[in-house]
Amino acid sequence: MKGERAYLRRFSVLLLIALAGCATKSPSLLDAKGPAERTASSIWWPMVWVATAVTVFVVVMGAYGVVRGRRIREEDIRRDVPWGDRFILIAGLGVSGAILIGFFVFSLARAATLARAQPGLEITVIGHDWWWEIRYPNGAVTANEIHIPAGQRVNISLTSVDVIHSLWVPQLGPKIDLIPGRTTHAWLKADQPGEYRGQCAEYCGLQHAHMAFFVIADPPNDFVTWMANTANPATPPSSALAMQGQNVFLSNTCIGCHAIKGTPANATLGPDLTHMATRTTLGAGTIPLNANTLAAWIRNPGQFKPGVTMPPTTLTSQELNALVTYLLSLGFPAR
Ligand code: CUA
């Protein structure tokens, strides 16, 4: 009794912890915020209900068999269930086969409606270990934040420069792989303006878990402004400190990996930093972006993201301070 009670207590604690997980604000694929995810849910729900019905039926029949089996003798069983063999054929092969084939055809048909091409804004998303590059048709390039116009369809061409990644925004649609050397296609549409968290859904190495991103659905007019601003060159340094920071950036290894439009920096190994101060996180959703975290990140990115390609720096505190000031000035020009 004592052991059982201890077990029960431990079990309730675990259950509470598990349920507490449900209460957090992590995005749920059951909370669809766009038509692609609603189509995916329309495949999922019928499967859940039929699977539940089958499970209940099997459990009830199993329990019935156990209860009856205790009451009757072995030889009664054959006489009692003369259609036993036929029942196994019908239920085991016929009914199961019909359900499985039915769902196969049903999900293919639903998936086909999901895959149907339709016009929309065309953007490109490129997977990197471990961040996302996003390119717009007007030349705008950004990282880890996919801006889209709310209520409008956006077609995405996806590829990867290294290993297979997978783009997944649980509230907006199913997962799509990014495959090196190939282009895959997906589309996103959010009913309402808002921020929708996404995550790499294909194991891609040490920092797979730190390969998050955000889909930011802007009101359509704001989106047009955002895309135009993002395509513009960077704001020139407006203070002596920022000017010094730009020199630090251009005369150190930063320039070997990053681009800042409007300066000689045009490398594409790391995220484009032309308007980096407009973004909210560092390291693809790993830490929030502010002056302190940015300085700590540049000093040694590996302390937040072990294995990251960006090396630690040997800048002096003064140079680092100037660099951070410069990078955080890279917003949109005030209107
Ligand atoms: Cu990229 Cu997992």
Side-chain angles (χ1 to χ4, degrees), residues 121 123-126 128 130-136 140-149 154 156 167 169 172 188 194-199 211-218 223 226-227 230 271-272 275-290 330-332:
L121 176 76
I123 69 170
T124 303
V125 174
I126 303 162
H128 296 255
W130 294 278
W131 59 281
W132 310 83
E133 177 182 349
I134 305 117
R135 297 184 162 267
Y136 290 80
V141 183
T142 187
N144 307 324
E145 291 182 6
I146 309 178
H147 280 257
I148 62 171
V154 176
I156 312 179
L167 180 111
V169 193
L172 297 185
L188 286 174
E195 198 176 284
Y196 306 93
R197 194 178 190 277
Q199 174 68 42
M211 192 168 165
F213 61 99
F214 296 91
V215 170
I216 298 163
D218 299 313
F223 172 78
W226 176 88
M227 191 164 81
T230 304
D272 184 296
H275 301 289
M276 76 157 281
T278 63
R279 303 201 283 259
T280 55
T281 71
L282 279 169
T286 305
I287 48 173
L289 170 63
N290 59 49
L330 298 177
F332 294 144

Side-chain angles (χ1 to χ4, degrees), residues 128-130 132 163-166 200-205 208-209 211:
H128 296 255
D129 266 343
W130 294 278
W132 310 83
V163 297
I164 300 178
H165 304 275
S166 183
C200 180
E202 180 71 41
Y203 181 71
C204 53
H208 160 66
M211 192 168 165

Side-chain angles (χ1 to χ4, degrees), residues 69-88:
R70 289 216 177 119
R71 277 196 254 121
I72 57 177
R73 284 175 305 146
E74 189 75 25
E75 55 265 39
D76 292 336
I77 293 174
R78 282 196 177 277
R79 201 195 54 229
D80 213 39
V81 195
W83 42 274
D85 292 347
R86 237 180 307 150
F87 178 76
I88 289 170

